[in-house]
Amino acid sequence: MPHDFTRRWRNARYVANYLQFTAPVSPNPREWSTRLRVGSTSTVLDLGCGEAKVLAAISPGIELGIGVDASPHMVRAGRRHATDRRAENVSLVQADFRRLPVPSESIDAALSNAALHHVPDEGKLQCLNELARVLRPGSLFYLRDDAFNFDPRELEGLQPQIYGEFEREFGVYGWAFLRDHLAGADFECTPYTSDLLALLEAAGFKIRESTPTGLDGVEILAVRSAA
């Protein structure tokens, strides 16, 4: 039976812990808008939007922001955040993003920030196929996520270094919080960058850029190929 990755995101306590962990995060709207090449007439989709911080940040420069998240608690938190930011052009919906409730070829640009690695391997291609369906041909997809940047045979030996990177990024207490309250299945579902790039290409994307960030991160800019 396929792994239900959405289960823990329906747990209010788990989501409250996650929101506590990500509270300091403040997206740079210029960075995201530049990456996505969006403007005042653009409709932007955030896959696994969480609190919708990115969409709220870029909302003054786009026409519509659509956020999809599997967690009802995250969607509620995102709506509160969008209201606080007066981002009236941001619309959030709860859904498994392997089945997006979005019309085909209706999206001008898409992003996903630290969400796809939550999806088990058998669901990642489904998710990317859905994303390709809703994007207009030639549209950009900017992915920033966890991904292993080494040979799979090296995983066991490199785990101490990966944990060291987590501690440097989040601090001693932040890493302890992540480890004790949030980690587990995420690490098991983390893809290798080479596999992730292959999945994107299989879903109909052309890779423009792929930049590793340490042992366990990647930034990818991809284009939805013309039909």
Side-chain angles (χ1 to χ4, degrees):
M1 184 175 179
H3 170 62
D4 181 11
F5 83 99
T6 67
R7 181 178 180 181
R8 58 201 152 108
W9 297 104
R10 298 193 297 269
N11 182 310
R13 185 173 182 179
Y14 184 89
V15 172
N17 282 332
Y18 193 90
L19 292 175
Q20 182 180 344
F21 178 70
T22 58
V25 176
S26 181
N28 182 323
R30 179 175 294 180
E31 175 192 357
W32 285 96
S33 296
T34 300
R35 274 293 192 181
L36 293 167
R37 299 178 192 172
V38 293
S40 60
T41 62
S42 301
T43 297
V44 180
L45 175 71
D46 187 345
L47 196 69
C49 63
E51 286 183 274
K53 287 185 176 181
V54 174
L55 287 179
I58 68 174
S59 63
I62 63 174
E63 182 170 355
L64 176 65
I66 300 173
V68 179
D69 202 282
S71 168
H73 311 292
M74 279 294 190
V75 169
R76 282 196 288 272
R79 287 173 178 159
R80 287 195 299 270
H81 182 74
T83 298
D84 291 344
R85 292 291 300 267
R86 299 182 179 178
E88 297 178 358
N89 59 338
V90 170
S91 175
L92 305 183
V93 60
Q94 180 199 347
D96 181 334
F97 40 83
R98 292 171 292 190
R99 294 179 292 276
L100 295 174
V102 179
S104 298
E105 297 189 4
S106 62
I107 303 298
D108 298 302
L111 66 102
S112 186
N113 186 25
L116 189 60
H117 75 279
H118 296 302
V119 181
D121 288 346
E122 66 270 15
K124 286 185 174 69
L125 183 57
Q126 288 177 273
C127 176
L128 294 172
N129 280 332
E130 273 291 271
L131 185 61
R133 177 184 66 79
V134 304
L135 279 168
R136 293 191 174 97
S139 298
L140 292 177
F141 172 43
Y142 179 45
L143 174 65
R144 179 186 291 176
D145 214 327
D146 293 355
F148 294 140
N149 297 305
F150 47 81
D151 189 290
R153 293 169 293 185
E154 300 179 86
L155 176 58
E156 185 174 352
L158 287 175
Q159 282 190 16
Q161 289 177 245
I162 295 171
Y163 296 152
E165 286 188 358
F166 288 159
E167 188 170 312
R168 286 190 294 275
E169 181 176 357
F170 302 117
V172 174
Y173 296 107
W175 162 232
F177 186 90
L178 174 66
R179 181 191 60 221
D180 296 341
H181 294 274
L182 305 174
D186 288 358
F187 195 77
E188 296 171 7
C189 293
T190 298
Y192 288 86
T193 295
S194 56
D195 293 335
L196 186 54
L197 294 173
L199 288 173
L200 281 161
E201 290 176 341
F205 289 91
K206 293 182 180 179
I207 309 302
R208 283 271 184 89
E209 300 174 16
S210 176
T211 307
T213 55
L215 292 170
D216 185 39
V218 70
E219 295 182 29
I220 298 172
L221 187 65
V223 181
R224 197 273 211 188
S225 299

